[in-house]
Every structure is written in C-alpha cells, then in structure tokens.
Amino acid sequence: MNARPNGDSSTALLPRGVRRALDAMRTNVGRDWSVMELAEAAGLSSRTLQRQFREFVGKAPRAALRDIRFEAARRELLQGIPDAKVMDVAQRCGFPHCGRFSVEYRRRFGETPSQTAKRQAVFADALRSMPSFTIPSRDRPTVALRPIEAGPEHRDIAHSIADELSIALTRAGAAVVRQPGAARYHLIGAISGSDRQTRLTFRLIDAETGRHLTAYRSDGALGHDASLDEHLATRIIAAMQPCLRLAEIDRAGRKPPTDLSPHDMALRAMPWVLSLNAEGNAHALDLLERAMERDPGNALATALAAWAYSQRLVYHFTATPNEDRARSAELARKAQTLGGDATVLAVLGNAFTFLHDLEAAELMIRKALSIDGGSAWAWSRSGWLDVYNNDADSGIERLKIALDLAPNDSLAFNSMVGIGCAHFESGRYTEAAHWQQRALAEHPSATWIHRTMCPAYVLVGAESEARRSVTALREHYPDLTVSEVQNGLPPLPQSYCDRVVDALHSVGLPL
C-alpha cells in the first residue's frame, strides 16, 4: 500500500492499451496471464502490446506482471492480518513456489516475507496499547472527511473505516470537520469491486486550489475486524501525513511576510531543520528565534529550535559547541513544559537524544507513540534509541516500521542511516555500508553519513570505497579530525565509537 503523489501521474501518461493491461494485472494478480490474454484486455495485438510495454514501461508485460505481484504480496503482508501465512499470500499473488518467492522477495525488499509479517505484529501491538485520548494543539490543519463511496455490500466497512480515519487524523494533529466549506483539505474515498478483488482509494485535495496532494490505493480483500480497520486507517493517514505537512508548509510559504504568525514561521523553518545541513540549520534558527520572540509558548518552534541547536553539535555545524549545547538544553527543557502533539514530541525526542539524555528522549517518544501510533518520526526515533541502547535488532525493526509507514517522508533517509548503524553495531558491515550508501543517495548533501559509512567499508575490506568515502568527508569538512568526530557522535555504544575512530584514523583522518 502506498501513497501516490498526484494520483500516480506516471500511470496516467501511459498509452490507453498499456493502462488497460496493467489494470487487468492488478485486478487479478494471481491469474497466469498470457501475453495474448493481456493484449485482448488492452485491445491491442500481442506485438503492439509488447512494443508499447518496452517503450513506455521499460520491460516486457510478463516482467511487469511479476513486479505487480511482488508489490501486491508486500501490500498484503503489510496489512497485518493475524495468522496470515506467507505460503497463502504467495499463492494468491501468483507464486506457486513459496521458496522461490521468499528468495526473490528478500532480494527485492531486503528482508524475508516472514520478517515483514512479524513486524506488523509489533506495530499492531503498539496500536492496541494506545490510550483513547488525543492532545489538542493550536493551529491544526482542518480536514473534511467526505463519506466513502461504496456499494451496499461494503457500506458497513466503509462506515467503520471512516470512523477509524477520523480518529487517525485527530491523533496525527489534524482537526476533522463535517462541513467541507470549513476545511483546508478534503479526504475523499471509495470502495469498489468484491471479495478479494476489492479496491480502496483515497485522495487528499487542497480545498482552496483544488489540487490533488496525494492518493492512496489498496487492492485486495478488506477485513471485517475493528483492529484491522484501525491498522489500515493508521497506515493511510501515516502515508499521507508527509504530503499534508508539506501542504501546510507551502501554505505558510505563500503568505506575505507581514501576515506570518509564529506558527507559520515555525512551519517555514521545518524543511530547513529537516535538511540536516549547515546552511539549512542556520536559516532555520533565524526563523525560529524570531518565532519564539513573538510567541515564547509556541511548542513547535521551541522543539524545532532545540533540535536545530543540537544538530550543530552532531553534524559539525558549529564553532561554539558549548554555547549551542546550553541553548539546546534550555529550549528542550522549556518545550517539555509546553506539551504538544506527536510531531512536537518526536522532534523533542531527537533533541534530547543529541544531548545524550536518553531517558528524557525515551519519555518523549513513548508519549508521541501513545498519541499517534502512526507517527513515522516517532517510530524512527524509537528505533534509533534502541540502537543507542545496544539493541540493534529491535532498532532495525522499528526503523523499518517508520519506512513502511511513510517511505516518501523527508526523513526516511535518516531511518536508512539508522538501519546502517544497527547493522554496523552487529558487525554486519556489508549491510551497514549498503544502507548508508542508500541513505546518501536519497540525501546527497548529508555528507556526515561518511563518518560511519567509511568505517563500514574499512571493516569489510573495501579499501577503494573507504578511501573515496573519507575523501568525500574531508572535502566537505576540510579541518575535521578524529577527535571532533568522536565528540560529535550521538550516544552510540562505546565499542561502536571505538571502531569508527580506529577505522577513520586508518584511512588518514588526522587525530
């Protein structure tokens, strides 16, 4: 299941016949489609269909069908259906040989099907343990949840999902309103099909401009269990939350400077804080200091500023570490007294982590997840805390939950960094380097990733990659020393830090 920006515009640009063939595959992934049958569904000759697939999709129809089947299998495993068997999922998605399916699944997704399914139990347990309350906050975006279009056979489940969506939106920090005219955003859904061929679609629309912000589609059977509806609703809102956040940031960005509220200024600062680079950090702090001057009680601005000041220590942005540490600690303590939603608490958990106050960080993240079990930011920080506490396997599991929930989030790359660090701690250096490289590809300006990627290459014996990595690090931080790296590392286990220090010194970083 994925949130797809702008209604999956890449599919909309395909020729009609190709779209028809792809829709036929998605509608019945388990069918053993022949090229002739797909051509008939597309209204094309077999030769034309194959030519158009190669030209517009970049692969043959059967290869595209295989990709669709794996996507469908992963979506079903992510649904968290209790007692779901991997063998049954594989067969429903057109894979009669479970062993071969598992091998290829692991190659594609970096884990076995059973690991994906097992992780959903952790997520479901967290949802069940959430108390039935939310924290009200100021300046919440308003969302009108329109009635879900559904036939008589799906009417009950449509009502159930709508109820859970309303709760999930509220937990995520939005205000759900009944009157569309009173909302900034409209969430529109529909259920079509029957039995195992059910399709669930949602669109998030900016009410002012009519622009489609994102879409969500799920193909497959819908359950008739309240906990499954909660699981599904939480995932839908988690997948949409990055786009909703960006829409709010864009809305604040369009306002004239004279009309900006302190909250608008905090929203404008957020992408710069999330950039995790020196230039963005400086720009964010300028905005946040002005926001706090106008409204000392703004929880979002205060938490973001606490995190931004602590970033200066960890990512080598500062020449005055003691002053920045003191300012970050001051703001973090103040933000604790201001309350806030799950986003504020997750940001605050990041700040306390970088200040090496893991007890306070864990408290903030537990509160964040108790408010919104679909907060990808809180799950990511929870995973990082496990890594810092020397529980790498649990850390990987929680960081992957964050990626499952919001793979397109601007901080998804940082979860990849965390997974790399967890593998490094466990001595799996090839996997560590892979995840760190993947994170750097997602966020090329985060050159500080080389601090831990280079040691992974050193310890796996990849000398040329290690030297390229340390060269890239020194190009961006020409005066960086091993001592400064050591002082700037977050609270990783001592054995981890020792390996990093020794490896960086071995490839020429000065002491």
Side-chain angles (χ1 to χ4, degrees):
M1 300 180 183
N2 294 302
R4 304 188 180 194
N6 301 319
D8 197 4
S9 59
S10 61
T11 299
L13 295 174
L14 294 173
R16 182 184 303 172
V18 173
R19 291 203 309 271
R20 286 175 173 171
L22 290 171
D23 283 343
M25 295 178 195
R26 294 189 179 108
T27 300
N28 193 344
V29 294
R31 178 174 171 175
D32 187 19
W33 290 94
S34 68
V35 173
M36 186 177 296
E37 289 169 332
L38 288 170
E40 184 178 349
L44 302 171
S45 69
S46 297
R47 180 175 296 180
T48 300
L49 179 71
Q50 293 185 80
R51 177 179 57 78
Q52 289 192 353
F53 259 79
R54 286 193 298 271
E55 183 176 351
F56 293 98
V57 183
K59 60 191 70 175
R62 293 284 296 180
L65 174 59
R66 189 171 178 81
D67 291 344
I68 287 170
R69 285 172 169 172
F70 274 105
E71 291 167 5
R74 185 162 178 83
R75 284 196 302 268
E76 186 166 343
L77 290 168
L78 286 171
Q79 284 182 335
I81 299 173
D83 303 320
K85 293 181 172 58
V86 171
M87 180 182 297
D88 294 339
V89 172
Q91 290 179 345
R92 279 196 294 270
C93 293
F95 299 104
H97 194 292
C98 188
R100 292 173 188 165
F101 164 73
S102 296
V103 169
E104 177 62 14
Y105 184 99
R106 182 170 187 171
R107 187 191 70 79
R108 287 172 178 253
F109 302 114
E111 62 186 6
T112 65
S114 59
Q115 287 173 325
T116 303
K118 180 182 176 183
R119 190 163 64 249
Q120 305 323 301
V122 175
F123 178 60
D125 287 344
L127 294 184
R128 282 192 291 270
S129 68
M130 290 191 306
S132 57
F133 67 87
T134 56
I135 304 296
S137 62
R138 297 181 295 173
D139 303 302
R140 294 190 294 170
T142 50
V143 180
L145 179 57
R146 309 287 286 272
I148 299 173
E149 296 179 10
E153 70 275 23
H154 294 310
R155 203 151 286 157
D156 288 344
I157 197 167
H159 288 311
S160 177
I161 292 173
D163 289 342
E164 294 297 343
L165 284 170
S166 181
I167 294 170
L169 278 165
T170 305
R171 288 184 176 278
V176 180
V177 298
R178 293 185 179 275
Q179 298 300 324
R184 294 180 196 167
Y185 309 98
H186 294 173
L187 183 57
I188 302 171
I191 301 175
S192 60
S194 59
D195 299 328
R196 300 209 62 84
Q197 307 307 321
T198 303
R199 173 168 291 182
L200 177 67
T201 57
F202 282 94
R203 293 177 293 145
L204 184 65
I205 298 172
D206 187 314
E208 181 181 354
T209 65
R211 184 165 62 97
H212 288 221
L213 300 175
T214 187
Y216 185 100
R217 186 178 76 195
S218 170
D219 296 318
L222 292 175
H224 295 275
D225 183 301
S227 63
L228 290 180
D229 292 345
E230 179 185 26
H231 191 284
L232 175 61
T234 302
R235 285 194 171 280
I236 291 170
I237 300 308
M240 289 187 166
Q241 194 169 6
C243 290
L244 183 59
R245 186 184 296 121
L246 287 174
E248 285 290 279
I249 291 168
D250 182 61
R251 181 174 172 274
R254 295 196 307 268
K255 286 187 176 183
T258 54
D259 294 345
L260 290 176
S261 69
H263 183 73
D264 293 327
M265 296 171 74
L267 287 174
R268 282 190 169 194
M270 186 179 287
W272 296 107
V273 177
L274 301 183
S275 70
L276 305 189
N277 62 51
E279 180 182 1
N281 181 273
H283 189 62
L285 284 172
D286 176 62
L287 283 165
L288 293 168
E289 288 287 2
R290 286 190 279 138
M292 291 186 294
E293 183 178 350
R294 288 180 53 189
D295 180 8
N298 188 287
L300 179 61
T302 307
L304 284 170
W307 185 21
Y309 275 109
S310 68
Q311 286 177 6
R312 296 172 64 79
L313 311 171
V314 172
Y315 302 131
H316 313 293
F317 297 160
T318 181
T320 56
N322 292 334
E323 291 87 340
D324 290 332
R325 181 177 288 104
R327 180 62 171 154
S328 176
E330 173 193 359
L331 292 169
R333 288 193 296 270
K334 179 180 178 180
Q336 272 186 296
T337 68
L338 299 176
D341 59 16
T343 296
V344 168
L345 293 171
V347 167
L348 193 52
N350 290 343
F352 276 120
T353 299
F354 287 177
L355 292 169
H356 290 224
D357 189 344
L358 297 187
E359 184 177 350
E362 288 170 351
L363 176 61
M364 294 300 100
I365 297 306
R366 282 200 302 272
K367 285 184 176 180
L369 288 173
S370 73
I371 293 171
D372 181 14
S375 170
W377 287 8
W379 277 106
S380 179
R381 185 48 44 182
S382 176
W384 271 106
L385 287 167
D386 279 343
V387 176
Y388 297 145
N389 286 319
N390 212 9
D391 190 348
D393 290 341
S394 177
I396 290 172
E397 194 168 67
R398 289 172 175 268
L399 288 159
K400 284 188 173 182
I401 288 174
L403 290 175
D404 290 344
L405 289 170
N408 299 318
D409 187 83
S410 53
L411 277 181
F413 87 97
N414 201 42
S415 294
M416 298 174 192
V417 176
I419 293 171
C421 289
H423 283 298
F424 188 102
E425 170 58 21
S426 297
R428 298 185 290 264
Y429 302 117
T430 300
E431 292 89 341
H434 165 76
W435 280 98
Q436 303 277 4
Q437 184 60 57
R438 184 175 166 185
L440 192 59
E442 290 281 330
H443 202 304
S445 68
T447 49
W448 44 267
I449 293 174
H450 288 286
R451 295 179 309 178
T452 47
M453 187 169 75
C454 175
Y457 281 133
V458 170
L459 291 165
V460 84
E463 183 177 345
S464 59
E465 288 86 349
R467 294 202 175 277
R468 279 197 295 271
S469 182
V470 76
T471 298
L473 182 65
R474 297 187 71 177
E475 284 177 354
H476 196 80
Y477 301 103
D479 300 320
L480 188 66
T481 64
V482 169
S483 177
E484 287 174 332
V485 170
Q486 192 169 19
N487 291 335
L489 287 174
L492 290 157
Q494 189 58 49
S495 65
Y496 187 117
C497 296
D498 291 343
R499 281 175 279 168
V500 167
V501 165
D502 292 344
L504 288 175
H505 184 51
S506 75
V507 288
L509 197 68
L511 291 171

